[in-house]
Amino acid sequence: MRKFWPSVGLGALAGALLTAPLLGLMYLADKLLDLPFVPFALFDWIATVTPGPLITFGIDMMIETLLLFNLSVADAAKTSEQVAAVLMVFFIGVAAGAVLFAALRGRAAGGAAFQGGWLGSVFSRPAPGLITAAAVGLPLTIVSLPMGQSTMNPVVTFVVLVILFLVWGLGLGYLRQRLSLASGGSVEGAEDEERSVNVIDRRQFLIRLGATTATITVASAGLGAALGQGERTRIAESVADSMPPDAMPPRRPLPNDGDPVTPAPGTRPEYTPVEDHYQVFLRTEPTFIDISNWVLPIHGWVANPKDLTIDQIRNDYPSRDQYVTLSCISGRIGTTLISTTWWTGAVLQSILADVQPMPQAKYLVIKSGDGFYETVALDLIASDERIMLCYAWDGEPLPFDHGFPLRIWLPDRYGMKQPKWIVDIEVTDEYREGYWVERGWDEVARVKATSVIDTVAVRDVIEANGQRLVPVGGIAFAGARGISGVQVRVDGGPWQDAQLRSPLSETTWVIWRYDWPFAAGDHTFEVRCAEGDGTPQIEEEQGNRPSGATGIHSRKASL
């Protein structure tokens, strides 16, 4: 009989058919047993060991791809990372299948391998599958142990993950044998011997295998997703329960209610709902901190070191409320990585006065539960009483995916300087570069003035003084320095002053509006702003690295 040896392409297909259910089962194990999800753990590990320029290049490419497809970076960035993590492990499995089939090409599977049915075929010649499982599974398992957020015993975690990879590897070995016979191929010691059993056509076998693996993948991933949603609900409830219902007064009406300047239709909400606040964090998933055993150690060059509970931080120190706009240094001109909400926290000056930094102390080194760290100068804290250790947004405990139980706020700085999920504060006499500073980003990260056109409301033309006017609107932001003016121009014409709505505070964006006299045709709108002291926005176009993007935002519209 004609020999048939599975090709490299067939090995890649086998790898795909077995790696997909493996990923589904790993996801289910993550949600059911609290094991680390290997793709996310691997992705996070790579991010920690990759040189800063490469990480930055990867972030830039992801953002550019999202913008190319007109997707919101704020909404899609983290999902894109998670998809990339899953695809990375999926293609590792595909490559492993291709390599295994290529390595065994020209060698027969062994007739004795099938004497005991499929189980006998797996264990009669297990070496190729075991070697593949070890080569792929052991490194991924070892990487996953420290990177995940699992509360499971590490030994149990190791055993379960190894078992999953062993089954996957043995399955690859079995498929190699089974697919060679499915085409009528011969085996060692029985070349040209007629088989006495019915051999399923290879295509039929692959169809059945595909249906089986698809069922396992969809069922395990679906059940994992349902468990994950329940887990998120339980975590959210535990976060809400960490603060007594009457601990925070309800947020008052917005301070600029009644302002005569109304946002142009289509302008982003002036106050960002907490659930819509942009998210940027190191890992593929937000860090969850169990508040029942959390304390904040403040130690180092202090006369009175403290281990503070969240209740002590909330109750024993003066609190401060502040409407805050926070923006990400990764954002391009016209960014969606910017949001405004109401922050509440303990005044950091008061906490430091209690721990009593020694004369030689100059910095705080703040560490986060996700491995992030940043250095803040004591002189900066002493100069601004608004700096807080924030524990509430919008009158509720910080959401777990935004830094619960504690994050710092530094006015006039990008989010890269502001750790969340804070677990440790060391008072030190020496400067240490922060996480992103080590990776080539700006040491100060002071917010650059920016203005954005959110809308050219062509469907909301208004009549005023016999004119048809098109509302144009958006936001302008310059950190804590405020905005004194916004100007708009159309088709390269003269700059025209826009109306400014009163900001929610001196540390939030300003909503602006310009009612443009209607003219049919295709038009290009541009916007620029000036800071509170009249300093003009930088109009020269510059990328976001290393200090934040500058340039003029424009928008085209057809009327």
Side-chain angles (χ1 to χ4, degrees):
M1 296 176 63
R2 181 177 60 87
K3 294 182 179 181
F4 170 80
W5 307 119
S7 67
V8 172
L10 198 58
L13 176 60
L17 290 174
L18 288 182
T19 304
L22 173 67
L23 290 169
L25 291 171
M26 284 180 172
Y27 185 64
L28 178 60
D30 171 26
K31 301 307 176 186
L32 187 63
L33 304 176
D34 195 28
L35 268 63
F37 185 46
V38 171
F40 291 175
L42 176 63
F43 194 89
D44 293 340
W45 177 79
I46 291 174
T48 63
V49 300
T50 302
L54 287 179
I55 287 292
T56 298
F57 175 77
I59 293 172
D60 287 346
M61 292 303 298
M62 179 189 69
I63 292 176
E64 293 298 336
T65 301
L66 294 175
L67 294 175
L68 179 65
F69 289 96
N70 200 30
L71 297 173
S72 168
V73 176
D75 295 336
K78 194 53 61 176
T79 300
S80 299
E81 287 184 10
Q82 294 173 344
V83 170
V86 172
L87 289 177
M88 180 168 55
V89 174
F90 177 77
F91 285 117
I92 288 174
V94 171
V99 170
L100 174 64
F101 277 48
L104 296 180
R105 192 172 186 179
R107 292 187 56 196
F114 293 90
Q115 293 176 1
W118 73 269
L119 191 60
S121 72
V122 169
F123 288 105
S124 62
R125 292 181 178 270
L130 291 177
I131 292 172
T132 305
V136 175
L138 283 179
L140 293 183
T141 298
I142 292 170
V143 164
S144 298
L145 291 177
M147 295 307 302
Q149 300 184 56
S150 174
T151 58
M152 180 67 72
N153 184 294
V155 175
V156 175
T157 298
F158 181 85
V159 169
V160 174
L161 291 180
V162 165
I163 289 174
L164 287 174
F165 277 113
L166 281 176
V167 172
W168 169 82
L170 291 171
L172 278 177
Y174 165 71
L175 281 186
R176 195 268 167 183
Q177 297 172 3
R178 186 65 182 83
L179 289 174
S180 69
L181 290 182
S183 62
S186 59
V187 293
E188 286 179 346
E191 188 171 357
D192 298 326
E193 181 179 343
E194 293 293 331
R195 312 291 298 176
S196 59
V197 297
N198 288 328
V199 179
I200 302 174
D201 175 80
R202 184 179 62 182
R203 180 175 298 177
Q204 292 177 324
F205 175 73
L206 288 174
I207 290 173
R208 293 183 183 182
L209 177 63
T212 301
T213 58
T215 299
I216 295 172
T217 304
V218 172
S220 56
L223 181 55
L227 292 172
Q229 185 58 46
E231 179 185 40
R232 289 183 63 88
T233 300
R234 289 191 298 274
I235 291 174
E237 290 173 349
S238 70
V239 169
D241 291 342
S242 70
M243 181 184 290
D246 58 351
M248 291 284 299
R251 177 170 57 84
R252 298 178 295 277
L254 297 179
N256 61 356
D257 277 358
D259 189 287
V261 179
T262 59
T267 303
R268 71 189 72 191
E270 183 172 30
Y271 184 85
T272 310
V274 170
E275 61 271 18
D276 294 334
H277 199 289
Y278 85 88
Q279 295 185 22
V280 173
F281 41 85
L282 291 186
R283 297 190 172 183
T284 47
E285 290 187 300
T287 299
F288 173 65
I289 292 178
D290 184 359
I291 196 62
S292 64
N293 55 24
W294 176 91
V295 293
L296 176 65
I298 305 179
H299 57 100
W301 290 99
V302 294
N304 184 30
K306 292 278 187 179
D307 289 322
L308 298 175
T309 67
I310 191 63
D311 288 335
Q312 288 174 317
I313 294 171
R314 290 170 179 164
N315 301 323
D316 295 353
Y317 299 98
S319 65
R320 181 180 182 89
D321 301 322
Q322 186 82 19
Y323 286 97
V324 169
T325 294
L326 188 69
S327 60
C328 178
I329 199 169
S330 293
R332 280 31 174 193
I333 292 299
T335 181
T336 57
L337 295 175
I338 184 170
S339 302
T340 297
T341 194
W342 190 47
W343 296 49
T344 301
V347 176
L348 188 50
Q349 287 181 354
S350 299
I351 295 176
L352 291 179
D354 192 15
V355 300
Q356 302 172 32
M358 295 178 180
Q360 60 267 52
K362 294 182 180 179
Y363 303 98
L364 300 184
V365 177
I366 304 174
K367 298 178 181 178
S368 300
D370 62 350
F372 185 77
Y373 46 88
E374 186 52 70
T375 297
V376 181
L378 289 176
D379 285 347
L380 176 63
I381 298 169
S383 69
D384 196 336
E385 66 177 2
R386 296 172 300 186
I387 296 175
M388 68 172 79
L389 292 182
C390 171
Y391 48 74
W393 273 5
D394 200 22
E396 301 289 340
L398 271 174
F400 80 93
D401 49 357
H402 284 283
F404 177 83
L406 208 63
R407 64 184 298 167
I408 194 172
W409 175 58
L410 304 171
D412 215 28
R413 300 293 189 271
Y414 284 112
M416 62 158 275
K417 299 293 289 186
Q418 316 206 34
K420 41 190 179 285
W421 298 295
I422 295 175
V423 295
D424 183 85
I425 296 180
E426 179 186 359
V427 182
T428 178
D429 62 341
E430 62 180 17
Y431 175 76
R432 305 174 196 169
E433 290 186 337
Y435 183 93
W436 286 116
V437 178
E438 286 182 338
R439 288 157 175 80
W441 291 83
D442 190 273
E443 186 173 80
V444 177
R446 190 170 186 245
V447 170
K448 295 287 196 298
T450 188
S451 50
V452 182
I453 301 172
D454 284 338
T455 179
V456 179
V458 295
R459 299 182 182 276
D460 295 279
V461 176
I462 59 176
E463 299 280 348
N465 300 321
Q467 273 190 313
R468 300 179 68 197
L469 303 174
V470 178
V472 183
I475 58 110
F477 181 56
R481 308 185 302 278
I483 297 292
S484 61
V486 172
Q487 293 183 318
V488 177
R489 72 176 177 185
V490 184
D491 299 330
W495 289 100
Q496 302 291 334
D497 290 334
Q499 303 175 77
L500 302 184
R501 181 173 167 84
S502 299
L504 300 179
S505 79
E506 80 281 4
T507 55
T508 67
W509 57 30
V510 171
I511 300 293
W512 60 266
R513 174 176 180 145
Y514 174 64
D515 293 327
W516 174 68
F518 177 91
D522 297 330
H523 302 282
T524 299
F525 297 79
E526 296 174 286
V527 63
R528 69 182 184 184
C529 68
E531 298 179 12
D533 64 359
T535 302
Q537 170 185 342
I538 299 172
E539 297 187 20
E540 179 184 359
E541 186 172 339
Q542 178 179 304
N544 59 316
R545 280 185 290 144
S547 304
T550 60
I552 296 295
H553 186 236
S554 65
R555 191 182 186 102
K556 297 183 182 296
S558 298
L559 290 87

